[in-house]
mmCIF file of all heavy atoms in Angstrom:
data_model
loop_
_atom_site.group_PDB
_atom_site.id
_atom_site.type_symbol
_atom_site.label_atom_id
_atom_site.label_comp_id
_atom_site.label_asym_id
_atom_site.label_seq_id
_atom_site.Cartn_x
_atom_site.Cartn_y
_atom_site.Cartn_z
ATOM 1 N N ALA D 1 29.324 184.994 95.983
ATOM 2 C CA ALA D 1 27.940 184.772 95.619
ATOM 3 C C ALA D 1 27.643 183.310 95.656
ATOM 4 O O ALA D 1 26.559 182.880 96.174
ATOM 5 C CB ALA D 1 27.662 185.306 94.255
ATOM 6 N N TYR D 2 28.533 182.445 95.306
ATOM 7 C CA TYR D 2 28.251 181.025 95.245
ATOM 8 C C TYR D 2 28.391 180.359 96.562
ATOM 9 O O TYR D 2 27.490 179.639 97.023
ATOM 10 C CB TYR D 2 29.237 180.365 94.203
ATOM 11 C CG TYR D 2 29.084 178.824 94.292
ATOM 12 C CD1 TYR D 2 28.070 178.292 93.490
ATOM 13 C CD2 TYR D 2 29.940 178.031 94.980
ATOM 14 C CE1 TYR D 2 27.801 176.944 93.398
ATOM 15 C CE2 TYR D 2 29.745 176.614 94.875
ATOM 16 C CZ TYR D 2 28.724 176.123 94.054
ATOM 17 O OH TYR D 2 28.482 174.760 94.052
ATOM 18 N N TYR D 3 29.481 180.587 97.330
ATOM 19 C CA TYR D 3 29.697 179.831 98.580
ATOM 20 C C TYR D 3 29.028 180.470 99.735
ATOM 21 O O TYR D 3 28.720 179.827 100.757
ATOM 22 C CB TYR D 3 31.217 179.823 98.848
ATOM 23 C CG TYR D 3 31.993 178.856 97.862
ATOM 24 C CD1 TYR D 3 32.702 179.384 96.931
ATOM 25 C CD2 TYR D 3 31.832 177.485 97.985
ATOM 26 C CE1 TYR D 3 33.422 178.525 95.966
ATOM 27 C CE2 TYR D 3 32.544 176.668 97.083
ATOM 28 C CZ TYR D 3 33.327 177.161 96.110
ATOM 29 O OH TYR D 3 33.901 176.393 95.228
ATOM 30 N N GLN D 4 28.772 181.790 99.696
ATOM 31 C CA GLN D 4 28.127 182.409 100.838
ATOM 32 C C GLN D 4 26.652 182.677 100.632
ATOM 33 O O GLN D 4 25.886 182.875 101.666
ATOM 34 C CB GLN D 4 28.880 183.738 101.157
ATOM 35 C CG GLN D 4 30.381 183.549 101.614
ATOM 36 C CD GLN D 4 31.058 184.769 102.053
ATOM 37 O OE1 GLN D 4 30.313 185.752 102.409
ATOM 38 N NE2 GLN D 4 32.370 184.756 101.997
ATOM 39 N N GLN D 5 26.229 182.848 99.347
ATOM 40 C CA GLN D 5 24.875 183.180 99.171
ATOM 41 C C GLN D 5 24.122 182.062 98.337
ATOM 42 O O GLN D 5 22.881 182.236 98.036
ATOM 43 C CB GLN D 5 24.781 184.536 98.391
ATOM 44 C CG GLN D 5 25.397 185.619 99.179
ATOM 45 C CD GLN D 5 25.721 186.871 98.257
ATOM 46 O OE1 GLN D 5 25.237 186.933 97.129
ATOM 47 N NE2 GLN D 5 26.444 187.840 98.792
ATOM 48 N N GLY D 6 24.912 181.040 97.884
ATOM 49 C CA GLY D 6 24.222 180.012 97.207
ATOM 50 C C GLY D 6 23.779 180.330 95.825
ATOM 51 O O GLY D 6 22.903 179.795 95.243
ATOM 52 N N GLN D 7 24.352 181.377 95.168
ATOM 53 C CA GLN D 7 24.007 181.872 93.954
ATOM 54 C C GLN D 7 25.030 181.519 92.850
ATOM 55 O O GLN D 7 26.207 181.978 92.943
ATOM 56 C CB GLN D 7 23.718 183.329 93.850
ATOM 57 C CG GLN D 7 22.624 183.780 94.854
ATOM 58 C CD GLN D 7 22.439 185.268 94.894
ATOM 59 O OE1 GLN D 7 23.069 185.984 94.165
ATOM 60 N NE2 GLN D 7 21.544 185.745 95.764
ATOM 61 N N GLY D 8 24.703 180.703 91.906
ATOM 62 C CA GLY D 8 25.627 180.484 90.773
ATOM 63 C C GLY D 8 25.472 181.528 89.687
ATOM 64 O O GLY D 8 24.550 181.396 88.794
ATOM 65 N N LEU D 9 26.333 182.485 89.572
ATOM 66 C CA LEU D 9 26.217 183.598 88.671
ATOM 67 C C LEU D 9 26.931 183.274 87.374
ATOM 68 O O LEU D 9 26.740 184.117 86.463
ATOM 69 C CB LEU D 9 26.747 184.962 89.333
ATOM 70 C CG LEU D 9 26.131 185.332 90.625
ATOM 71 C CD1 LEU D 9 26.763 186.589 91.119
ATOM 72 C CD2 LEU D 9 24.574 185.481 90.436
ATOM 73 N N ILE D 10 27.662 182.200 87.287
ATOM 74 C CA ILE D 10 28.388 181.916 86.039
ATOM 75 C C ILE D 10 28.503 180.421 85.968
ATOM 76 O O ILE D 10 28.568 179.717 86.944
ATOM 77 C CB ILE D 10 29.801 182.525 85.970
ATOM 78 C CG1 ILE D 10 30.523 182.268 84.670
ATOM 79 C CG2 ILE D 10 30.589 182.080 87.233
ATOM 80 C CD1 ILE D 10 31.846 182.928 84.575
ATOM 81 N N ASP D 11 28.362 179.827 84.778
ATOM 82 C CA ASP D 11 28.474 178.386 84.601
ATOM 83 C C ASP D 11 29.788 177.884 85.092
ATOM 84 O O ASP D 11 30.902 178.570 84.939
ATOM 85 C CB ASP D 11 28.285 178.012 83.151
ATOM 86 C CG ASP D 11 26.863 178.143 82.708
ATOM 87 O OD1 ASP D 11 25.952 178.411 83.514
ATOM 88 O OD2 ASP D 11 26.639 178.230 81.423
ATOM 89 N N ASP D 12 29.837 176.670 85.613
ATOM 90 C CA ASP D 12 31.035 176.064 86.171
ATOM 91 C C ASP D 12 32.154 176.076 85.153
ATOM 92 O O ASP D 12 33.363 176.338 85.481
ATOM 93 C CB ASP D 12 30.759 174.699 86.779
ATOM 94 C CG ASP D 12 29.820 174.726 87.942
ATOM 95 O OD1 ASP D 12 29.728 175.762 88.514
ATOM 96 O OD2 ASP D 12 29.173 173.674 88.221
ATOM 97 N N GLU D 13 31.903 175.566 83.942
ATOM 98 C CA GLU D 13 32.899 175.472 82.935
ATOM 99 C C GLU D 13 33.525 176.861 82.636
ATOM 100 O O GLU D 13 34.701 176.903 82.430
ATOM 101 C CB GLU D 13 32.307 174.955 81.658
ATOM 102 C CG GLU D 13 31.873 173.441 81.725
ATOM 103 C CD GLU D 13 31.142 172.968 80.582
ATOM 104 O OE1 GLU D 13 30.380 173.769 79.822
ATOM 105 O OE2 GLU D 13 31.268 171.837 80.202
ATOM 106 N N LEU D 14 32.681 177.889 82.522
ATOM 107 C CA LEU D 14 33.240 179.229 82.248
ATOM 108 C C LEU D 14 34.056 179.731 83.428
ATOM 109 O O LEU D 14 35.117 180.353 83.186
ATOM 110 C CB LEU D 14 32.164 180.188 81.937
ATOM 111 C CG LEU D 14 31.170 179.716 80.828
ATOM 112 C CD1 LEU D 14 30.159 180.773 80.427
ATOM 113 C CD2 LEU D 14 31.982 179.509 79.518
ATOM 114 N N TYR D 15 33.617 179.449 84.678
ATOM 115 C CA TYR D 15 34.348 179.857 85.843
ATOM 116 C C TYR D 15 35.711 179.146 85.876
ATOM 117 O O TYR D 15 36.746 179.801 86.117
ATOM 118 C CB TYR D 15 33.603 179.491 87.154
ATOM 119 C CG TYR D 15 34.361 179.730 88.396
ATOM 120 C CD1 TYR D 15 34.317 181.046 89.056
ATOM 121 C CD2 TYR D 15 35.158 178.674 88.948
ATOM 122 C CE1 TYR D 15 34.988 181.135 90.235
ATOM 123 C CE2 TYR D 15 35.878 178.910 90.115
ATOM 124 C CZ TYR D 15 35.780 180.137 90.750
ATOM 125 O OH TYR D 15 36.456 180.357 91.867
ATOM 126 N N ASP D 16 35.679 177.782 85.624
ATOM 127 C CA ASP D 16 36.971 177.075 85.663
ATOM 128 C C ASP D 16 37.884 177.614 84.578
ATOM 129 O O ASP D 16 39.109 177.688 84.786
ATOM 130 C CB ASP D 16 36.686 175.529 85.418
ATOM 131 C CG ASP D 16 35.984 174.913 86.632
ATOM 132 O OD1 ASP D 16 36.020 175.563 87.634
ATOM 133 O OD2 ASP D 16 35.461 173.830 86.369
ATOM 134 N N SER D 17 37.417 177.992 83.418
ATOM 135 C CA SER D 17 38.209 178.412 82.283
ATOM 136 C C SER D 17 38.884 179.836 82.642
ATOM 137 O O SER D 17 40.024 180.055 82.355
ATOM 138 C CB SER D 17 37.400 178.550 81.076
ATOM 139 O OG SER D 17 38.187 178.884 79.939
ATOM 140 N N LEU D 18 38.063 180.668 83.267
ATOM 141 C CA LEU D 18 38.590 181.998 83.660
ATOM 142 C C LEU D 18 39.588 181.896 84.776
ATOM 143 O O LEU D 18 40.542 182.619 84.821
ATOM 144 C CB LEU D 18 37.426 182.924 84.074
ATOM 145 C CG LEU D 18 36.582 183.434 82.836
ATOM 146 C CD1 LEU D 18 35.404 184.220 83.315
ATOM 147 C CD2 LEU D 18 37.454 184.375 81.951
ATOM 148 N N ARG D 19 39.383 180.960 85.735
ATOM 149 C CA ARG D 19 40.340 180.719 86.810
ATOM 150 C C ARG D 19 41.701 180.250 86.255
ATOM 151 O O ARG D 19 42.724 180.570 86.692
ATOM 152 C CB ARG D 19 39.808 179.880 87.842
ATOM 153 C CG ARG D 19 40.708 179.745 89.081
ATOM 154 C CD ARG D 19 40.041 179.342 90.329
ATOM 155 N NE ARG D 19 39.313 180.350 90.963
ATOM 156 C CZ ARG D 19 39.756 181.347 91.677
ATOM 157 N NH1 ARG D 19 41.072 181.418 91.837
ATOM 158 N NH2 ARG D 19 38.942 182.204 92.272
ATOM 159 N N GLN D 20 41.491 179.367 85.253
ATOM 160 C CA GLN D 20 42.771 178.826 84.631
ATOM 161 C C GLN D 20 43.432 179.976 83.859
ATOM 162 O O GLN D 20 44.662 180.110 83.791
ATOM 163 C CB GLN D 20 42.344 177.683 83.529
ATOM 164 C CG GLN D 20 43.534 177.088 82.876
ATOM 165 C CD GLN D 20 43.139 176.007 81.956
ATOM 166 O OE1 GLN D 20 42.014 175.646 81.877
ATOM 167 N NE2 GLN D 20 44.126 175.444 81.241
ATOM 168 N N LYS D 21 42.628 180.933 83.266
ATOM 169 C CA LYS D 21 43.218 182.047 82.573
ATOM 170 C C LYS D 21 44.059 182.992 83.554
ATOM 171 O O LYS D 21 45.099 183.371 83.286
ATOM 172 C CB LYS D 21 42.158 182.865 81.974
ATOM 173 C CG LYS D 21 42.616 184.054 81.181
ATOM 174 C CD LYS D 21 43.194 183.684 79.843
ATOM 175 C CE LYS D 21 42.181 183.005 78.869
ATOM 176 N NZ LYS D 21 42.695 182.789 77.585
ATOM 177 N N LEU D 22 43.465 183.129 84.776
ATOM 178 C CA LEU D 22 44.081 183.908 85.857
ATOM 179 C C LEU D 22 45.460 183.281 86.257
ATOM 180 O O LEU D 22 46.482 183.949 86.399
ATOM 181 C CB LEU D 22 43.240 184.010 87.084
ATOM 182 C CG LEU D 22 43.834 184.767 88.183
ATOM 183 C CD1 LEU D 22 44.281 186.163 88.005
ATOM 184 C CD2 LEU D 22 42.926 184.739 89.442
ATOM 185 N N ARG D 23 45.487 181.893 86.330
ATOM 186 C CA ARG D 23 46.728 181.188 86.657
ATOM 187 C C ARG D 23 47.748 181.404 85.565
ATOM 188 O O ARG D 23 48.968 181.562 85.834
ATOM 189 C CB ARG D 23 46.388 179.664 86.871
ATOM 190 C CG ARG D 23 45.772 179.383 88.114
ATOM 191 C CD ARG D 23 45.846 177.878 88.461
ATOM 192 N NE ARG D 23 44.997 177.115 87.595
ATOM 193 C CZ ARG D 23 43.733 176.748 87.819
ATOM 194 N NH1 ARG D 23 43.187 177.170 88.960
ATOM 195 N NH2 ARG D 23 43.075 176.027 87.007
ATOM 196 N N LEU D 24 47.351 181.377 84.275
ATOM 197 C CA LEU D 24 48.296 181.586 83.158
ATOM 198 C C LEU D 24 48.787 183.056 83.362
ATOM 199 O O LEU D 24 50.151 183.244 83.189
ATOM 200 C CB LEU D 24 47.513 181.467 81.883
ATOM 201 C CG LEU D 24 48.362 181.960 80.589
ATOM 202 C CD1 LEU D 24 49.517 181.094 80.385
ATOM 203 C CD2 LEU D 24 47.409 182.051 79.356
ATOM 204 N N TRP D 25 47.988 184.054 83.548
ATOM 205 C CA TRP D 25 48.485 185.453 83.661
ATOM 206 C C TRP D 25 49.383 185.521 84.843
ATOM 207 O O TRP D 25 50.409 186.345 84.762
ATOM 208 C CB TRP D 25 47.234 186.373 83.868
ATOM 209 C CG TRP D 25 46.492 186.503 82.515
ATOM 210 C CD1 TRP D 25 46.772 185.999 81.367
ATOM 211 C CD2 TRP D 25 45.256 187.249 82.368
ATOM 212 N NE1 TRP D 25 45.781 186.363 80.416
ATOM 213 C CE2 TRP D 25 44.841 187.042 81.009
ATOM 214 C CE3 TRP D 25 44.453 187.910 83.230
ATOM 215 C CZ2 TRP D 25 43.657 187.597 80.534
ATOM 216 C CZ3 TRP D 25 43.258 188.523 82.766
ATOM 217 C CH2 TRP D 25 42.877 188.391 81.461
ATOM 218 N N GLN D 26 49.116 184.893 85.965
ATOM 219 C CA GLN D 26 49.971 185.008 87.127
ATOM 220 C C GLN D 26 51.328 184.370 86.818
ATOM 221 O O GLN D 26 52.375 184.839 87.206
ATOM 222 C CB GLN D 26 49.297 184.289 88.284
ATOM 223 C CG GLN D 26 48.143 185.010 88.920
ATOM 224 C CD GLN D 26 47.445 184.155 89.946
ATOM 225 O OE1 GLN D 26 47.446 182.993 89.940
ATOM 226 N NE2 GLN D 26 46.693 184.848 90.843
ATOM 227 N N SER D 27 51.280 183.290 86.120
ATOM 228 C CA SER D 27 52.535 182.720 85.641
ATOM 229 C C SER D 27 53.325 183.677 84.734
ATOM 230 O O SER D 27 54.584 183.789 84.810
ATOM 231 C CB SER D 27 52.304 181.323 84.882
ATOM 232 O OG SER D 27 53.470 180.840 84.405
ATOM 233 N N CYS D 28 52.607 184.327 83.808
ATOM 234 C CA CYS D 28 53.280 185.229 82.927
ATOM 235 C C CYS D 28 53.869 186.395 83.652
ATOM 236 O O CYS D 28 54.911 186.905 83.275
ATOM 237 C CB CYS D 28 52.239 185.806 81.900
ATOM 238 S SG CYS D 28 51.496 184.529 80.750
ATOM 239 N N ALA D 29 53.281 186.769 84.775
ATOM 240 C CA ALA D 29 53.746 187.897 85.531
ATOM 241 C C ALA D 29 54.765 187.490 86.583
ATOM 242 O O ALA D 29 55.327 188.327 87.370
ATOM 243 C CB ALA D 29 52.619 188.608 86.273
ATOM 244 N N GLY D 30 54.959 186.159 86.696
ATOM 245 C CA GLY D 30 55.830 185.622 87.757
ATOM 246 C C GLY D 30 55.385 185.677 89.142
ATOM 247 O O GLY D 30 56.142 185.966 90.107
ATOM 248 N N SER D 31 54.033 185.720 89.302
ATOM 249 C CA SER D 31 53.465 185.855 90.592
ATOM 250 C C SER D 31 52.318 184.853 90.887
ATOM 251 O O SER D 31 51.914 184.182 89.872
ATOM 252 C CB SER D 31 52.912 187.229 90.775
ATOM 253 O OG SER D 31 51.834 187.522 89.952
ATOM 254 N N GLY D 32 51.809 184.714 92.058
ATOM 255 C CA GLY D 32 50.663 183.847 92.321
ATOM 256 C C GLY D 32 50.976 182.498 92.544
ATOM 257 O O GLY D 32 52.125 181.996 92.282
ATOM 258 N N ASP D 33 50.140 181.746 93.085
ATOM 259 C CA ASP D 33 50.237 180.273 93.419
ATOM 260 C C ASP D 33 49.319 179.485 92.477
ATOM 261 O O ASP D 33 48.161 179.661 92.516
ATOM 262 C CB ASP D 33 49.812 180.070 94.867
ATOM 263 C CG ASP D 33 49.879 178.581 95.321
ATOM 264 O OD1 ASP D 33 50.349 177.778 94.491
ATOM 265 O OD2 ASP D 33 49.702 178.258 96.487
ATOM 266 N N GLY D 34 49.935 178.729 91.572
ATOM 267 C CA GLY D 34 49.122 177.997 90.642
ATOM 268 C C GLY D 34 48.116 177.067 91.251
ATOM 269 O O GLY D 34 47.143 176.697 90.684
ATOM 270 N N ASP D 35 48.359 176.547 92.523
ATOM 271 C CA ASP D 35 47.450 175.685 93.176
ATOM 272 C C ASP D 35 46.529 176.419 94.152
ATOM 273 O O ASP D 35 45.848 175.798 95.017
ATOM 274 C CB ASP D 35 48.159 174.593 93.985
ATOM 275 C CG ASP D 35 48.851 173.670 92.949
ATOM 276 O OD1 ASP D 35 48.414 173.452 91.887
ATOM 277 O OD2 ASP D 35 49.935 173.050 93.365
#
C-alpha cells in the first residue's frame, strides 16, 4: 500500500515497532534475516 499505491495505512513508528517485533520472533524461532 505504501510503496506501490502511496498510501500510509499505519504510522511509521508503529510500523517500525511491529517490524522489530517480527525480527524478535524470527530470532526466537531461529529463522529469518535480521537485516
Side-chain angles (χ1 to χ4, degrees):
Y2 178 79
Y3 289 104
Q4 298 185 19
Q5 302 163 11
Q7 299 176 5
L9 302 182
I10 182 173
D11 290 345
D12 294 339
E13 291 172 327
L14 303 182
Y15 174 90
D16 291 343
S17 186
L18 286 172
R19 185 158 285 282
Q20 182 178 356
K21 184 76 63 175
L22 176 62
R23 286 195 290 268
L24 170 67
W25 290 354
Q26 289 172 333
S27 175
C28 296
S31 64
D33 180 359
D35 292 330

